[in-house]
Amino acid sequence: MSTTRRPLIAGNWKMNGLKKDARQLSSQLAKRMAKVNRPGFDMVVCPPFPMLALVADVIKGSGVKLGAQDNHPQVSGAHTGDTSPAMLKNVGCSYAIVGHSERRTDHGESDALVKAKAEAAIAAGMIAIVCIGETLKQRKAGRALSTNRKQLQGSLPQAATAKNTVIAYEPVWAIGTGEVATPAQAQEVHGAIRAELEKLIGAKEAAKMRILYGGSMKPGNAGELIALPDVDGGLVGGAALNAADFWAIAEAAG
Ligand code: PEP
């Protein structure tokens, strides 16, 4: 955590919960957020698409921001079942997660597609949270850093700035497994990502860009991860479904 980059705590609800769950979780967070005078972190929740409008209403004015879990790379058109960035922005999203490993795996998303999605999210006025991360096989083969560098090179939007883009480092082996990267592992990759960003967008912008850690982040491990020099918050899955846990993670950030 640096004093110049404002921590971001993002909750990825994935494909979980019905209307009553979305209402309850978002209102608990909104109430807590509204009570904090000047929070030292930004908070965003990313519910499933059908819950976005409902959650937008609940969190309105609270300071909790809304995000989407994905977006189509195009503005509109014949794309059955897809959702455009303009629609997401229109229902209140200010962030969009792109390139989550579950989408890369379940939907065969390539770096090029992730990049196009991130560029479309930015063009619609949202902040793209671009996910990258190595598999266990890649880590065991000594390719953790090179895999993340390559994904970053391929997925980073063309006009990426610290204002319109956030990177999420999510080791695939840590997502939903209860296995978390050690502080040394996390800092090594986050440091390498920032060094690569320096080459891609220049030192000044790289120094300002937020890099989140994601992968079994919980209240018990968030503090030591977020305290690392190049970790600027978290992208949280399982623990984001519990308001007290998610809030505790945010408090560890500020
Ligand atoms: C995620 O889905 O982005 C994630 C990090 O999940 P979890 O926190 O459950 O590992």
Side-chain angles (χ1 to χ4, degrees), residues 11-12 46 68-71 95-100 127-131 235:
N12 174 13
C46 305
Q69 296 176 20
D70 180 45
N71 60 257
Y95 289 81
I97 300 171
V98 293
H100 191 281
I127 297 170
I129 302 178
V130 180
C131 301
L235 177 52

Side-chain angles (χ1 to χ4, degrees), residues 48-112:
F49 284 173
M51 308 300 163
L52 283 171
L54 178 162
V55 174
D57 272 353
V58 175
I59 62 177
K60 201 170 179 180
S62 71
V64 178
K65 302 288 181 199
L66 189 67
Q69 296 176 20
D70 180 45
N71 60 257
H72 194 274
Q74 286 173 21
V75 174
S76 63
H79 302 288
T80 303
D82 280 315
T83 309
S84 86
M87 293 168 187
L88 297 167
K89 175 77 180 162
N90 193 232
V91 294
C93 290
S94 44
Y95 289 81
I97 300 171
V98 293
H100 191 281
S101 77
E102 285 150 18
R103 292 210 60 88
R104 289 178 184 262
T105 305
D106 296 356
H107 301 273
E109 294 194 0
S110 64
D111 288 337

Side-chain angles (χ1 to χ4, degrees), residues 13 32 35 45 50 57 62 64 105 109 112 122 127-128 137 143 153 157 162 183-184 203 213 216 221 226 235 248 251:
W13 295 3
R32 286 176 191 250
K35 276 193 209 143
V45 292
D57 272 353
S62 71
V64 178
T105 305
E109 294 194 0
I122 292 168
I127 297 170
K137 195 170 164 204
R143 292 193 284 121
Q153 289 159 5
Y213 169 81
S216 297
N221 59 33
I226 296 170
L235 177 52
E251 280 188 321

Side-chain angles (χ1 to χ4, degrees), residues 202-219:
K204 215 170 147 191
E205 218 51 44
K208 289 189 280 183
M209 190 169 281
R210 294 181 289 189
I211 308 174
L212 311 184
Y213 169 81
S216 297
M217 190 178 257
K218 305 270 182 271

